[in-house]
Amino acid sequence: MKKILLFISIFSSLNFQAQCWIQIASGSQGSGGGFHCLGIQNDGTLWAWGLNDQGQLGDGTTINRNSPTQIGTDNDWIFVTVGTNSTYALKQDGSLWAWGNNSKGQLSDGTTTGRLSPAQVLPGTTWSKVSAGDQFVIAQKTDGTLWGCGQANNAETGLGSATEVFTFTQNTTITDWESIRSSFAHTLLRRSDGTIWGFWGGGW
């Protein structure tokens, strides 16, 4: 009986802890992510742990963290994605934020200067989706338009060229994208009709 009660107690504890998180974002460099993790708890707070040599955790330092550390005090985060040593996140108001490595302009602030804490990407609150790859990022606005910035050695920004762009640039007139998934040097997308599209190498 004691063993059963102990099992129930442990299970309840684990289940409670699992319910604290509404999303976890992680990745390895081979899959387009870096060696860091970000998570959003059900109270809307943002937490980070892992490698932080480029400020990709967003805590204002370059100190690695062995356990989840809260990033700021804001409690309106709804989605986060990790790239190679950079991070992107959406807030409830539709604003997009980025931090970490910016050597290819992937933070979309017009520079190649890295950031140690979250900074809003351009004015505006019209972002709905975002997915990060290796030093590039693809994002969608609420009107369905698709935008890319950062590294473009393999045309991974979807602009059909190998020219890097340091601020988000619209890459197609198609607007019915339902999901976006970027990896190391390519992106796959699903449209409302169920078809799968992608860009890499020479573009679309």
PDB file of all heavy atoms in Angstrom, residues 53-73:
ATOM      1  N   ASP A  53      27.174  31.502 -24.985  1.00  0.00           N
ATOM      2  CA  ASP A  53      28.370  32.254 -25.367  1.00  0.00           C
ATOM      3  C   ASP A  53      28.079  33.454 -26.263  1.00  0.00           C
ATOM      4  O   ASP A  53      28.876  34.383 -26.363  1.00  0.00           O
ATOM      5  CB  ASP A  53      29.381  31.331 -26.051  1.00  0.00           C
ATOM      6  CG  ASP A  53      28.836  30.700 -27.322  1.00  0.00           C
ATOM      7  OD1 ASP A  53      27.599  30.496 -27.420  1.00  0.00           O
ATOM      8  OD2 ASP A  53      29.640  30.400 -28.224  1.00  0.00           O
ATOM      9  N   GLN A  54      26.905  33.468 -26.913  1.00  0.00           N
ATOM     10  CA  GLN A  54      26.525  34.578 -27.782  1.00  0.00           C
ATOM     11  C   GLN A  54      25.343  35.364 -27.211  1.00  0.00           C
ATOM     12  O   GLN A  54      24.749  36.173 -27.910  1.00  0.00           O
ATOM     13  CB  GLN A  54      26.146  34.046 -29.170  1.00  0.00           C
ATOM     14  CG  GLN A  54      27.234  33.266 -29.877  1.00  0.00           C
ATOM     15  CD  GLN A  54      28.390  34.149 -30.312  1.00  0.00           C
ATOM     16  OE1 GLN A  54      28.176  35.265 -30.772  1.00  0.00           O
ATOM     17  NE2 GLN A  54      29.608  33.659 -30.173  1.00  0.00           N
ATOM     18  N   GLY A  55      25.023  35.117 -25.955  1.00  0.00           N
ATOM     19  CA  GLY A  55      23.875  35.790 -25.353  1.00  0.00           C
ATOM     20  C   GLY A  55      22.547  35.215 -25.786  1.00  0.00           C
ATOM     21  O   GLY A  55      21.493  35.835 -25.614  1.00  0.00           O
ATOM     22  N   GLN A  56      22.543  33.995 -26.322  1.00  0.00           N
ATOM     23  CA  GLN A  56      21.336  33.397 -26.876  1.00  0.00           C
ATOM     24  C   GLN A  56      20.285  33.026 -25.845  1.00  0.00           C
ATOM     25  O   GLN A  56      19.130  32.778 -26.198  1.00  0.00           O
ATOM     26  CB  GLN A  56      21.690  32.168 -27.720  1.00  0.00           C
ATOM     27  CG  GLN A  56      22.456  31.070 -27.002  1.00  0.00           C
ATOM     28  CD  GLN A  56      23.962  31.180 -27.200  1.00  0.00           C
ATOM     29  OE1 GLN A  56      24.548  32.249 -27.056  1.00  0.00           O
ATOM     30  NE2 GLN A  56      24.586  30.067 -27.558  1.00  0.00           N
ATOM     31  N   LEU A  57      20.665  33.022 -24.560  1.00  0.00           N
ATOM     32  CA  LEU A  57      19.662  32.760 -23.528  1.00  0.00           C
ATOM     33  C   LEU A  57      18.838  34.008 -23.213  1.00  0.00           C
ATOM     34  O   LEU A  57      17.718  33.899 -22.716  1.00  0.00           O
ATOM     35  CB  LEU A  57      20.323  32.237 -22.253  1.00  0.00           C
ATOM     36  CG  LEU A  57      21.082  30.911 -22.380  1.00  0.00           C
ATOM     37  CD1 LEU A  57      21.513  30.433 -20.998  1.00  0.00           C
ATOM     38  CD2 LEU A  57      20.245  29.850 -23.082  1.00  0.00           C
ATOM     39  N   GLY A  58      19.415  35.175 -23.456  1.00  0.00           N
ATOM     40  CA  GLY A  58      18.664  36.413 -23.271  1.00  0.00           C
ATOM     41  C   GLY A  58      18.635  36.962 -21.866  1.00  0.00           C
ATOM     42  O   GLY A  58      17.808  37.827 -21.551  1.00  0.00           O
ATOM     43  N   ASP A  59      19.530  36.495 -21.003  1.00  0.00           N
ATOM     44  CA  ASP A  59      19.520  36.967 -19.612  1.00  0.00           C
ATOM     45  C   ASP A  59      20.476  38.129 -19.369  1.00  0.00           C
ATOM     46  O   ASP A  59      20.740  38.497 -18.232  1.00  0.00           O
ATOM     47  CB  ASP A  59      19.846  35.817 -18.658  1.00  0.00           C
ATOM     48  CG  ASP A  59      21.262  35.271 -18.847  1.00  0.00           C
ATOM     49  OD1 ASP A  59      21.972  35.728 -19.769  1.00  0.00           O
ATOM     50  OD2 ASP A  59      21.659  34.363 -18.082  1.00  0.00           O
ATOM     51  N   GLY A  60      21.004  38.717 -20.454  1.00  0.00           N
ATOM     52  CA  GLY A  60      21.888  39.866 -20.317  1.00  0.00           C
ATOM     53  C   GLY A  60      23.337  39.518 -20.075  1.00  0.00           C
ATOM     54  O   GLY A  60      24.166  40.410 -19.891  1.00  0.00           O
ATOM     55  N   THR A  61      23.674  38.215 -20.098  1.00  0.00           N
ATOM     56  CA  THR A  61      25.037  37.771 -19.848  1.00  0.00           C
ATOM     57  C   THR A  61      25.475  36.800 -20.940  1.00  0.00           C
ATOM     58  O   THR A  61      24.717  36.483 -21.851  1.00  0.00           O
ATOM     59  CB  THR A  61      25.160  37.053 -18.494  1.00  0.00           C
ATOM     60  OG1 THR A  61      24.617  35.724 -18.605  1.00  0.00           O
ATOM     61  CG2 THR A  61      24.415  37.809 -17.405  1.00  0.00           C
ATOM     62  N   THR A  62      26.711  36.326 -20.805  1.00  0.00           N
ATOM     63  CA  THR A  62      27.194  35.232 -21.654  1.00  0.00           C
ATOM     64  C   THR A  62      27.579  34.035 -20.777  1.00  0.00           C
ATOM     65  O   THR A  62      28.450  33.247 -21.116  1.00  0.00           O
ATOM     66  CB  THR A  62      28.400  35.672 -22.498  1.00  0.00           C
ATOM     67  OG1 THR A  62      29.418  36.201 -21.640  1.00  0.00           O
ATOM     68  CG2 THR A  62      28.001  36.738 -23.506  1.00  0.00           C
ATOM     69  N   ILE A  63      26.895  33.906 -19.650  1.00  0.00           N
ATOM     70  CA  ILE A  63      27.152  32.825 -18.703  1.00  0.00           C
ATOM     71  C   ILE A  63      26.239  31.635 -19.033  1.00  0.00           C
ATOM     72  O   ILE A  63      25.023  31.799 -19.154  1.00  0.00           O
ATOM     73  CB  ILE A  63      26.883  33.289 -17.260  1.00  0.00           C
ATOM     74  CG1 ILE A  63      27.809  34.463 -16.903  1.00  0.00           C
ATOM     75  CG2 ILE A  63      27.069  32.136 -16.273  1.00  0.00           C
ATOM     76  CD1 ILE A  63      27.471  35.113 -15.574  1.00  0.00           C
ATOM     77  N   ASN A  64      26.820  30.452 -19.192  1.00  0.00           N
ATOM     78  CA  ASN A  64      26.020  29.256 -19.429  1.00  0.00           C
ATOM     79  C   ASN A  64      25.152  28.957 -18.214  1.00  0.00           C
ATOM     80  O   ASN A  64      25.530  29.234 -17.075  1.00  0.00           O
ATOM     81  CB  ASN A  64      26.917  28.055 -19.713  1.00  0.00           C
ATOM     82  CG  ASN A  64      27.758  28.239 -20.963  1.00  0.00           C
ATOM     83  OD1 ASN A  64      27.435  29.031 -21.841  1.00  0.00           O
ATOM     84  ND2 ASN A  64      28.850  27.497 -21.044  1.00  0.00           N
ATOM     85  N   ARG A  65      23.978  28.369 -18.455  1.00  0.00           N
ATOM     86  CA  ARG A  65      23.057  28.050 -17.360  1.00  0.00           C
ATOM     87  C   ARG A  65      22.768  26.550 -17.358  1.00  0.00           C
ATOM     88  O   ARG A  65      22.399  25.981 -18.379  1.00  0.00           O
ATOM     89  CB  ARG A  65      21.743  28.813 -17.519  1.00  0.00           C
ATOM     90  CG  ARG A  65      21.914  30.330 -17.569  1.00  0.00           C
ATOM     91  CD  ARG A  65      22.358  30.898 -16.238  1.00  0.00           C
ATOM     92  NE  ARG A  65      22.490  32.359 -16.301  1.00  0.00           N
ATOM     93  CZ  ARG A  65      22.876  33.118 -15.291  1.00  0.00           C
ATOM     94  NH1 ARG A  65      23.170  32.553 -14.111  1.00  0.00           N
ATOM     95  NH2 ARG A  65      22.975  34.428 -15.424  1.00  0.00           N
ATOM     96  N   ASN A  66      22.940  25.923 -16.213  1.00  0.00           N
ATOM     97  CA  ASN A  66      22.719  24.482 -16.092  1.00  0.00           C
ATOM     98  C   ASN A  66      21.285  24.122 -15.752  1.00  0.00           C
ATOM     99  O   ASN A  66      20.919  22.940 -15.753  1.00  0.00           O
ATOM    100  CB  ASN A  66      23.651  23.894 -15.031  1.00  0.00           C
ATOM    101  CG  ASN A  66      25.114  23.997 -15.429  1.00  0.00           C
ATOM    102  OD1 ASN A  66      25.439  23.931 -16.610  1.00  0.00           O
ATOM    103  ND2 ASN A  66      25.985  24.179 -14.452  1.00  0.00           N
ATOM    104  N   SER A  67      20.472  25.099 -15.446  1.00  0.00           N
ATOM    105  CA  SER A  67      19.068  24.866 -15.126  1.00  0.00           C
ATOM    106  C   SER A  67      18.250  26.050 -15.620  1.00  0.00           C
ATOM    107  O   SER A  67      18.805  27.139 -15.860  1.00  0.00           O
ATOM    108  CB  SER A  67      18.891  24.668 -13.617  1.00  0.00           C
ATOM    109  OG  SER A  67      19.334  25.811 -12.923  1.00  0.00           O
ATOM    110  N   PRO A  68      16.939  25.878 -15.800  1.00  0.00           N
ATOM    111  CA  PRO A  68      16.108  26.968 -16.315  1.00  0.00           C
ATOM    112  C   PRO A  68      16.232  28.251 -15.498  1.00  0.00           C
ATOM    113  O   PRO A  68      16.131  28.228 -14.267  1.00  0.00           O
ATOM    114  CB  PRO A  68      14.698  26.384 -16.239  1.00  0.00           C
ATOM    115  CG  PRO A  68      14.901  24.912 -16.390  1.00  0.00           C
ATOM    116  CD  PRO A  68      16.174  24.629 -15.639  1.00  0.00           C
ATOM    117  N   THR A  69      16.468  29.357 -16.214  1.00  0.00           N
ATOM    118  CA  THR A  69      16.606  30.669 -15.603  1.00  0.00           C
ATOM    119  C   THR A  69      15.593  31.604 -16.245  1.00  0.00           C
ATOM    120  O   THR A  69      15.508  31.682 -17.477  1.00  0.00           O
ATOM    121  CB  THR A  69      18.026  31.227 -15.833  1.00  0.00           C
ATOM    122  OG1 THR A  69      18.980  30.338 -15.236  1.00  0.00           O
ATOM    123  CG2 THR A  69      18.169  32.613 -15.226  1.00  0.00           C
ATOM    124  N   GLN A  70      14.812  32.308 -15.439  1.00  0.00           N
ATOM    125  CA  GLN A  70      13.791  33.177 -16.001  1.00  0.00           C
ATOM    126  C   GLN A  70      14.432  34.348 -16.737  1.00  0.00           C
ATOM    127  O   GLN A  70      15.398  34.949 -16.275  1.00  0.00           O
ATOM    128  CB  GLN A  70      12.851  33.700 -14.922  1.00  0.00           C
ATOM    129  CG  GLN A  70      11.672  34.485 -15.500  1.00  0.00           C
ATOM    130  CD  GLN A  70      10.630  34.860 -14.470  1.00  0.00           C
ATOM    131  OE1 GLN A  70      10.675  34.397 -13.332  1.00  0.00           O
ATOM    132  NE2 GLN A  70       9.666  35.684 -14.859  1.00  0.00           N
ATOM    133  N   ILE A  71      13.868  34.670 -17.901  1.00  0.00           N
ATOM    134  CA  ILE A  71      14.363  35.777 -18.721  1.00  0.00           C
ATOM    135  C   ILE A  71      13.442  36.969 -18.535  1.00  0.00           C
ATOM    136  O   ILE A  71      12.295  36.980 -19.004  1.00  0.00           O
ATOM    137  CB  ILE A  71      14.413  35.372 -20.210  1.00  0.00           C
ATOM    138  CG1 ILE A  71      15.234  34.097 -20.382  1.00  0.00           C
ATOM    139  CG2 ILE A  71      14.981  36.520 -21.044  1.00  0.00           C
ATOM    140  CD1 ILE A  71      16.649  34.170 -19.829  1.00  0.00           C
ATOM    141  N   GLY A  72      13.934  37.972 -17.824  1.00  0.00           N
ATOM    142  CA  GLY A  72      13.129  39.157 -17.536  1.00  0.00           C
ATOM    143  C   GLY A  72      11.941  38.819 -16.653  1.00  0.00           C
ATOM    144  O   GLY A  72      11.893  37.766 -15.999  1.00  0.00           O
ATOM    145  N   THR A  73      10.973  39.726 -16.640  1.00  0.00           N
ATOM    146  CA  THR A  73       9.784  39.522 -15.811  1.00  0.00           C
ATOM    147  C   THR A  73       8.489  39.512 -16.621  1.00  0.00           C
ATOM    148  O   THR A  73       7.409  39.338 -16.053  1.00  0.00           O
ATOM    149  CB  THR A  73       9.686  40.627 -14.749  1.00  0.00           C
ATOM    150  OG1 THR A  73       9.631  41.909 -15.407  1.00  0.00           O
ATOM    151  CG2 THR A  73      10.886  40.597 -13.811  1.00  0.00           C
TER     152      THR A  73
END
